[in-house]
Amino acid sequence: MISKFLTCIIFVFAVSWASAAYAKLNIVASTPDLGAVAKEIGEDKIKITNIARPTEDPHFVDARPSFMVKLNKADILIEGGLQLEIGWLPPLVMGARNNKILPGQPGYLTASTGINVLQVPQVVSRAMGDVHPYGNPHYMLDPLNAKIVASHICARLCLLDKENCKYYQDNLKDFIKRLDKKLTEWEKMLEPYQGTKIVTYHRTFPYFAQRFHLEVMGSLEPKPGISPSPSHINNLVPMMKSEGVKLIIIEDFRERKTPEFVASKTGAKVVVLPIMVGGRKETDDYISFVDYNVNQVVSALKNE
Amino acid sequence: MRKIFIYLYCISFFLFMPDVVQANQDALSQEVQELRALIMEMKDGYEARINEMQVKIENLSEQKFIEEEKAELEKELELLFNDKDDTSGTSPLASTESTVLPLNKAVTNQFDTSGTGSWSPSQAISLWSTGNSYMNISFNGLFTAAGSTANDLEMLETGGHDPIQRGFTAQNLEIAFDGAIDTYFRGFSNIVYQLDKAGETTVEVEETYLTTFSLPLNLQAKAGTFFTEFGRLNPTHPHTWNFVDQPLVNGRFFGADGLRNPGVRVSWLAPTDNYTELFFTVQNSQGETAASFRNNDGLFGRKAVGTRVRNTKDFLYVPRITTMFELTDTQTLLLGASAAYGPNSTGTDKDTLIYGLDMFWKWKSKYASYGFPFITWQTEVMGRRFEAGEDVDANLPSDVMHNWGAYSEVTWGFKKRWVGGLRGDYVDGLKDATDPSGVERLRISPNLTFYPSEFSKFRLQYNYDDIIGNDNTEQSVFLQFEFLMGSHGAHKF
């Protein structure tokens, strides 16, 4: 009985080890936008698992133990790096017992390295709301940052899979070329609307706004992570009117009542954007994701 | 005649001048256009080159790392082999340094730039610390105001961190430390202060343990003093609970402070596609934190006989298995089974076995905002087999007691920051018991919690307590508030 059990266990080990040895590189990305960029570089030479669902609030993701299993088998973990994941990633990595993906190992990649981080607070206090002490983590909404992340991923893939390095580099070049071409297109589309004043729900869109020269005048949340209060909205509405704010940009997962109320009071338009790849069915890769967002903003401004 | 020529010249000048200028202008603008095109071309070229260079630099630095690693390895090997021949040149210290350093170097040089010099926003942040500190610290305060029809509320409430009196109770003032100890271990410690009814402050070390980062074969070890891995509620701290007080069955089988003791736990993550984890814990079996085992006070009216560890039979052994199913994209189900086996103090060869099944189900909206809305359902059923020894003084024979209890709780995060909850509790009666701590009981507890933020909460709870064994009912109302400062540890699912 016991020997049978042992043989069974040894068999399971052997099979899992053997399959691991010949499989593609296993990559776990904390959020789907990082996963999508990795996909551009690795294509069919890698297998990607994203932890956060593309539609949900990435600050509050459940640390479901099934991801321990995924991380256990991962060759690379790609983390955003500005504490977006602090509430859910650490226990998963701890439970994964995988030396390859621990900080300091080649299999642990911080995607935000080299990114020009916005909104880094001078003083950190929770009285200011749920401020990220290292700055705003929603940098993937700027397509130029995706280039930086893509080159990190390419370098790391090359390090861990030297044989296919050329393949990854070619994919990187191709991705950057396609992205650059689209970027000029996007910039041209939004050029007539330079300096348009907007308000966002949460501080999710500063990188997007900066890239396309939109001016963020405020947010519906009085402070990051604190839901809209009547007194704050009371101050926000006259400001939006006097400044001539045209758009209220919100994420897909936000309630609609407050933004619509503010819109009705100020004449601004509500634009709902997915903030991660896969958030809408039209956004199944990174470029189509940015494309969708730019088009939503442009069409809202066009019909002004 | 000459004048005519001059006139003609002037006329022709005025006639043809614009054309000449025009022609000149055309040539000029064409030139400008060409120049612009050239510049654009150059710009494109430069951009492409810059991109290329970026990639190259990236690759080169990675390459450099590999080379460094290689060189380091070579050096190490050299040292290793030289050691045998030449002990004067390389001290043992130098050789250990060289084996440890490469890892650290890799950390600081290549992958974790936050370790070097002053920090700048563009640098990467390590997963394990919230700043440049080696340790995260947090403080949690949990207080309750209670009103009850029972004048001895402490008899009704079974937990050491439950409200113990009418009026205010400082339930749990907790300091928690955590951080990576080194490359191999992560540490956690949690010290709890309590104010008792007389206003006296007591300190208890609730948990202090290390956990390994990466043992081979998917194993993980935990060592120190910690809550036993039994069921879902026992290993957790009061401030993470969904209700003001702990379930009756936990209080009765595991005692006021839960089942915890110094020991070791090993767990194994199965290499299957769905999550399955096996735990095995070995701990001391004596003391008030092992109430059903070798408790100093004895149980069932019997006096405690032996409470010292004599051999391996005197430990507490706790196996547990837990597995998870993703039912749909938004629904998750976790199932678990645990058992705790060890000696009890009513005789020298008397044992206790506690066994339990637990389940946890959660639905969370695909479009969750701040984590809301969600519904959870958690249930635990436990049974206990207790061999009671003979106590001649109390005139009690040896006997075997079977008892069971269960709780089931549902929480509904119906709106951002608002959670409603309902819990049902049941425990059967212990033999010869007369007071609420031992008789059959059924308790229903609805509550409502408001979270101003992740770091604070207010909770209103009502308990309807049917003390079946005494033919009595009691009702209580609690208003609880909590605050948390410092690092906010991630939530366990």
Side-chain angles (χ1 to χ4, degrees):
Chain A
M1 178 63 208
I2 284 174
S3 68
K4 253 186 196 170
F5 180 69
L6 272 179
T7 341
C8 186
I9 288 209
I10 288 168
F11 180 72
V12 167
F13 266 120
V15 167
S16 64
W17 184 81
S19 59
Y22 295 102
K24 307 167 177 183
L25 274 183
N26 258 322
I27 299 190
V28 177
S30 63
T31 55
D33 36 8
L34 298 174
V37 172
K39 186 88 205 154
E40 298 282 350
I41 311 303
E43 289 194 10
D44 50 357
K45 299 243 185 284
I46 59 170
K47 188 171 163 259
I48 298 225
T49 309
N50 302 315
I51 297 181
R53 294 172 179 131
T55 49
E56 74 183 332
D57 188 341
H59 301 82
F60 299 90
V61 175
D62 281 335
R64 283 175 292 165
S66 52
F67 290 115
M68 273 183 211
V69 181
K70 298 280 199 286
L71 285 167
N72 177 258
K73 294 171 182 166
D75 299 299
I76 301 179
L77 163 65
I78 307 173
E79 194 207 5
L82 298 174
Q83 292 203 349
L84 180 68
E85 303 97 337
I86 191 144
W88 44 273
L89 194 55
L92 293 178
V93 175
M94 193 66 216
R97 45 207 95 180
N98 180 354
N99 201 20
K100 284 192 270 185
I101 57 158
L102 291 180
Q105 300 298 328
Y108 169 71
L109 175 60
T110 313
S112 63
T113 313
I115 286 193
N116 184 19
V117 180
L118 301 178
Q119 296 173 349
V120 183
Q122 294 296 311
V123 185
V124 178
S125 160
R126 293 228 171 100
M128 303 186 306
D130 210 350
V131 176
H132 293 281
Y134 298 114
N136 193 303
H138 306 286
Y139 56 84
M140 284 303 280
L141 287 155
D142 174 356
L144 270 195
N145 287 339
K147 274 207 252 181
I148 298 176
V149 172
S151 38
H152 288 320
I153 293 172
C154 177
R156 212 47 76 81
L157 285 173
C158 274
L159 184 70
L160 291 170
D161 180 17
K162 287 180 199 77
E163 272 173 35
N164 293 313
C165 186
K166 181 82 180 33
Y167 175 82
Y168 299 132
Q169 281 169 345
D170 288 345
N171 282 344
L172 174 66
K173 268 179 217 150
D174 179 59
F175 176 62
I176 287 178
K177 211 166 109 193
R178 280 184 290 134
L179 197 60
D180 279 339
K181 197 173 148 244
K182 282 304 260 187
L183 187 60
T184 15
E185 238 174 76
W186 293 326
E187 277 175 334
K188 203 172 274 169
M189 282 167 78
L190 277 163
E191 206 172 13
Y193 309 108
Q194 270 194 18
T196 298
K197 288 173 177 164
I198 63 166
V199 156
T200 62
Y201 197 107
H202 176 74
R203 289 192 198 164
T204 304
F205 301 98
Y207 294 92
F208 181 82
Q210 189 196 40
R211 177 60 47 217
F212 299 112
H213 309 290
L214 307 172
E215 203 179 332
V216 184
M217 301 303 292
S219 56
L220 298 185
E221 288 181 337
K223 285 164 184 177
I226 309 296
S227 48
S229 64
S231 63
H232 175 68
I233 298 296
N234 239 345
N235 292 330
L236 196 71
V237 167
M239 184 279 283
M240 285 173 67
K241 271 189 192 156
S242 68
E243 291 287 345
V245 172
K246 293 248 166 41
L247 295 183
I248 302 169
I249 301 186
I250 68 170
E251 305 91 327
D252 233 343
F253 51 80
R254 299 288 178 199
E255 46 93 18
R256 304 290 195 266
K257 241 169 48 192
T258 320
E260 267 155 21
F261 171 82
V262 174
S264 72
K265 292 285 171 216
T266 61
K269 239 185 203 165
V270 179
V271 180
V272 184
L273 299 183
I275 61 162
M276 286 183 277
V277 176
R280 286 280 170 92
K281 61 176 187 303
E282 303 93 327
T283 63
D284 53 352
D285 63 41
Y286 186 78
I287 289 177
S288 65
F289 159 72
V290 185
D291 203 45
Y292 180 85
N293 282 355
V294 169
N295 274 302
Q296 288 299 106
V297 171
V298 169
S299 66
L301 286 169
K302 221 180 240 166
N303 301 332
E304 264 288 306
Chain B
M1 194 60 202
R2 228 174 165 189
K3 260 184 186 170
I4 291 168
F5 272 119
I6 289 167
Y7 282 133
L8 271 174
Y9 180 77
C10 284
I11 288 164
S12 66
F13 182 81
F14 284 114
L15 272 174
F16 293 113
M17 188 55 197
D19 283 355
V20 172
V21 171
Q22 193 66 45
N24 271 350
Q25 259 177 354
D26 276 356
L28 240 166
S29 68
Q30 202 180 335
E31 223 165 286
V32 167
Q33 223 113 54
E34 268 169 18
L35 257 170
R36 188 182 287 164
L38 195 70
I39 287 170
M40 285 306 277
E41 210 174 292
M42 274 167 75
K43 190 182 151 216
D44 282 350
Y46 278 130
E47 262 178 13
R49 270 166 69 188
I50 285 171
N51 280 333
E52 232 170 328
M53 297 281 269
Q54 248 178 0
V55 175
K56 250 186 215 165
I57 288 169
E58 211 76 50
N59 289 342
L60 273 174
S61 60
E62 302 287 8
Q63 200 101 43
K64 202 177 142 207
F65 166 71
I66 298 169
E67 274 164 17
E68 263 178 14
E69 210 175 33
K70 258 192 200 159
E72 207 74 51
L73 196 71
E74 265 172 25
K75 232 193 270 170
E76 264 178 61
L77 284 171
E78 215 172 336
L79 275 172
L80 194 73
F81 285 105
N82 281 352
D83 251 3
K84 284 182 200 158
D85 314 328
D86 176 25
T87 42
S88 64
T90 52
S91 68
L93 189 74
S95 76
T96 50
E97 249 174 20
S98 66
T99 48
V100 175
L101 270 178
L103 237 176
N104 291 344
K105 259 191 190 160
V107 172
T108 47
N109 285 0
Q110 211 53 46
F111 301 114
D112 185 2
T113 42
S114 62
T116 53
S118 64
W119 184 84
S120 92
S122 57
Q123 284 174 348
I125 285 112
S126 138
L127 193 67
W128 300 113
S129 89
T130 46
N132 293 325
S133 62
Y134 291 114
M135 186 164 80
N136 301 321
I137 303 177
S138 73
F139 183 87
N140 184 277
L142 194 61
F143 299 86
T144 302
S148 178
T149 55
N151 54 23
D152 49 352
L153 192 58
E154 71 273 21
M155 289 298 284
L156 289 185
E157 297 295 308
T158 61
H161 298 284
D162 292 350
I164 46 162
Q165 59 196 353
R166 289 172 178 167
F168 296 96
T169 302
Q171 287 183 277
N172 196 35
L173 313 172
E174 172 184 315
I175 303 176
F177 308 94
D178 78 279
I181 297 165
D182 52 28
T183 334
Y184 313 107
F185 307 109
R186 178 170 173 73
F188 176 82
S189 181
N190 139 298
I191 316 286
V192 173
Y193 293 86
Q194 260 185 301
L195 291 171
D196 68 12
K197 278 204 272 190
E200 206 54 48
T201 304
T202 52
V203 182
E204 73 187 29
V205 178
E206 205 162 43
E207 291 196 286
T208 296
Y209 58 82
L210 58 79
T211 314
T212 59
F213 277 121
S214 54
L215 284 184
L217 300 174
N218 272 358
L219 293 171
Q220 184 163 62
K222 183 170 171 176
T225 179
F226 50 88
F227 280 116
T228 310
E229 198 74 39
F230 187 112
R232 280 195 60 84
L233 195 95
N234 188 63
T236 59
H237 294 256
H239 72 92
T240 65
W241 297 348
N242 294 321
F243 291 79
V244 168
D245 42 8
Q246 77 173 18
L248 294 172
V249 62
N250 285 67
R252 201 164 277 184
F253 289 176
F254 297 143
D257 286 318
L259 185 59
R260 63 177 158 87
N261 255 337
V264 178
R265 188 196 84 183
V266 176
S267 65
W268 179 63
L269 186 68
T272 47
D273 279 336
N274 79 321
Y275 163 78
T276 302
E277 194 170 358
L278 289 170
F279 301 87
F280 192 75
T281 311
V282 181
Q283 282 171 309
N284 282 351
S285 64
Q286 73 267 38
E288 59 169 26
T289 53
S292 289
F293 300 91
R294 297 197 303 154
N295 189 344
N296 292 331
D297 299 334
L299 264 175
F300 291 98
R302 281 123 172 120
K303 259 211 197 85
V305 185
T307 55
R308 275 168 183 268
V309 175
R310 293 156 305 179
N311 52 45
T312 51
K313 269 193 195 161
D314 288 340
F315 286 125
L316 176 64
Y317 295 97
V318 189
R320 170 168 169 78
I321 181 168
T322 171
T323 182
M324 177 180 149
F325 304 95
E326 301 266 11
L327 301 179
T328 67
D329 198 27
T330 53
Q331 288 180 54
T332 311
L333 179 68
L334 265 167
L335 299 175
S338 330
Y341 181 74
N344 71 53
S345 55
T346 61
T348 47
D349 56 349
K350 299 297 173 194
D351 294 324
T352 303
L353 172 68
I354 302 175
Y355 43 93
L357 293 172
D358 55 272
M359 78 82 141
F360 175 72
W361 170 87
K362 180 168 185 177
W363 167 85
K364 188 170 134 187
S365 163
K366 200 175 157 195
Y367 294 96
S369 168
Y370 305 95
F372 291 82
F374 66 84
I375 300 173
T376 68
W377 179 28
Q378 177 168 315
T379 302
E380 285 190 63
V381 184
M382 290 179 221
R384 180 176 72 183
R385 180 184 183 276
F386 188 94
E387 297 173 3
E390 188 182 2
D391 189 331
V392 185
D393 299 334
N395 197 20
L396 290 164
S398 48
D399 202 349
V400 177
M401 316 289 186
H402 288 276
N403 289 99
W404 76 284
Y407 75 89
S408 186
E409 60 181 50
V410 175
T411 66
W412 178 26
F414 55 94
K415 188 176 182 245
K416 196 206 150 185
R417 309 203 280 176
W418 289 92
V419 180
L422 179 66
R423 181 185 65 192
D425 255 317
Y426 175 80
V427 278
D428 68 352
L430 305 181
K431 198 173 177 185
D432 301 327
T434 51
D435 65 46
S437 67
V439 301
E440 186 182 9
R441 281 171 73 178
L442 177 71
R443 188 171 71 178
I444 305 291
S445 318
N447 76 8
L448 181 67
T449 309
F450 172 64
Y451 293 87
S453 75
E454 291 170 76
F455 310 102
S456 56
K457 77 172 176 229
F458 293 92
R459 173 171 290 157
L460 183 64
Q461 181 173 321
Y462 166 75
N463 278 8
Y464 178 82
D465 219 320
D466 187 358
I467 305 161
I468 301 167
N470 284 1
D471 248 340
N472 184 17
T473 59
E474 301 282 7
Q475 298 172 59
S476 312
V477 176
F478 307 106
L479 181 64
Q480 183 186 45
F481 69 94
E482 184 203 343
F483 63 86
L484 188 146
M485 294 177 290
S487 74
H488 181 39
H491 290 290
K492 205 183 146 195
F493 187 71

